[in-house]
């Protein structure tokens, strides 16, 4: 039993550390850009800032997508924590709902990450120096593709567990 507690503690620590790392990095870059240090976002994507500053609407869009990405990751992490915290005694309906949230969080994280590193980065390349804009490349089927694959699968498993719980409830009413 002590081994399980240790694993839970390590998983929680890793989730908190990674989420804080991503959140601080994203918020530092966007906060610097918003509050008057132009070029911070360019550094985030390894571009050299061009002579033209980023438009406010583009900054707002990027910040919104970044916050949605962090919220999706937080939802996935929270779901993992609730599953680990409840342990094997949790009901099908609770586990199914948590798996649904985990799947949504993983797919959302992948989606917003690809909007940020694909769409936003392509627009950002227009505001970078010509040398670094030429280095831009985006591959939505990169290693990150595991997030929507696992997320969709976990979501569907959660839906099946929810249906199993409903069937169990119906059967228990007949007995």
């Amino acid at each position: 039993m002590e081994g399980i507690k240790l694993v839970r503690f390590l998983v929680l620590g890793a989730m908190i550390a990674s989420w804080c790392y991503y959140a601080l990095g994203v918020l530092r870059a966007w906060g610097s850009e918003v509050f008057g240090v132009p070029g911070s976002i360019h550094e985030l994507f390894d571009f050299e800032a061009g002579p033209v500053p980023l438009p406010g609407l583009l900054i707002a869009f990027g910040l919104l997508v970044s916050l949605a990405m962090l919220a999706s990751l937080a939802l996935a992490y929270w779901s993992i924590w609730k599953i680990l915290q409840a342990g094997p005694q949790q009901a099908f309906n609770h586990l199914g709902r948590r798996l649904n949230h985990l799947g949504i969080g993983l797919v959302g994280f992948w989606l917003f990450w690809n909007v940020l590193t694909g769409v936003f980065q392509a627009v950002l390349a227009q505001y970078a120096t010509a040398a670094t804009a030429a280095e831009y490349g985006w591959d939505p089927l990169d290693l990150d593709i595991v997030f929507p694959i696992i997320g969709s699968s976990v979501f569907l498993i959660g839906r099946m567990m929810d249906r199993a719980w409903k069937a169990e409830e119906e059967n228990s009413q007949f007995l």
Side-chain angles (χ1 to χ4, degrees):
M1 192 58 142
E2 290 299 317
I4 292 173
K5 287 182 181 181
L6 177 63
V7 170
R8 281 188 207 153
F9 176 74
L10 292 174
V11 168
L12 179 62
M15 289 187 302
I16 289 171
S18 66
W19 191 88
C20 288
Y21 175 78
Y22 296 136
L24 290 174
V26 164
L27 295 177
R28 181 196 62 81
W30 287 110
S32 297
E33 194 73 42
V34 168
F35 294 112
V37 182
S40 301
I41 297 305
H42 291 83
E43 290 174 16
L44 187 65
F45 293 105
D46 295 326
F47 285 163
E48 281 185 37
V52 180
L54 294 178
L57 189 59
L58 186 60
I59 293 171
F61 173 74
L63 179 60
L64 184 65
V65 170
S66 296
L67 292 176
M69 181 187 70
L70 290 172
S72 295
L73 186 60
L75 176 64
Y77 281 176
W78 179 254
S79 300
I80 291 170
W81 175 245
K82 294 304 281 182
I83 290 168
L84 292 176
Q85 191 178 29
Q89 289 78 23
Q90 60 192 314
F92 272 160
N93 63 333
H94 296 297
L95 182 58
R97 186 179 65 244
R98 291 171 182 148
L99 288 173
N100 286 340
H101 292 160
L102 174 58
I104 291 168
L106 290 173
V107 171
F109 177 76
W110 175 82
L111 177 71
F112 292 120
W113 172 253
N114 276 285
V115 168
L116 197 61
T117 60
V119 176
F120 182 79
Q121 196 170 358
V123 173
L124 184 63
Q126 305 305 311
Y127 294 93
T129 61
T132 56
E135 297 173 12
Y136 165 71
W138 174 55
D139 182 10
L141 299 177
D142 199 4
L143 184 61
D144 303 341
I145 195 71
V146 298
F147 286 106
I149 292 170
I150 293 172
S152 312
S153 301
V154 166
F155 179 80
L156 292 173
I157 291 168
R159 300 293 287 181
M160 287 186 270
M161 293 190 84
D162 193 40
R163 279 191 240 145
W165 176 78
K166 287 177 184 174
E168 181 183 357
E169 285 293 307
E170 288 175 9
N171 289 341
S172 68
Q173 290 177 0
F174 289 117
L175 299 176

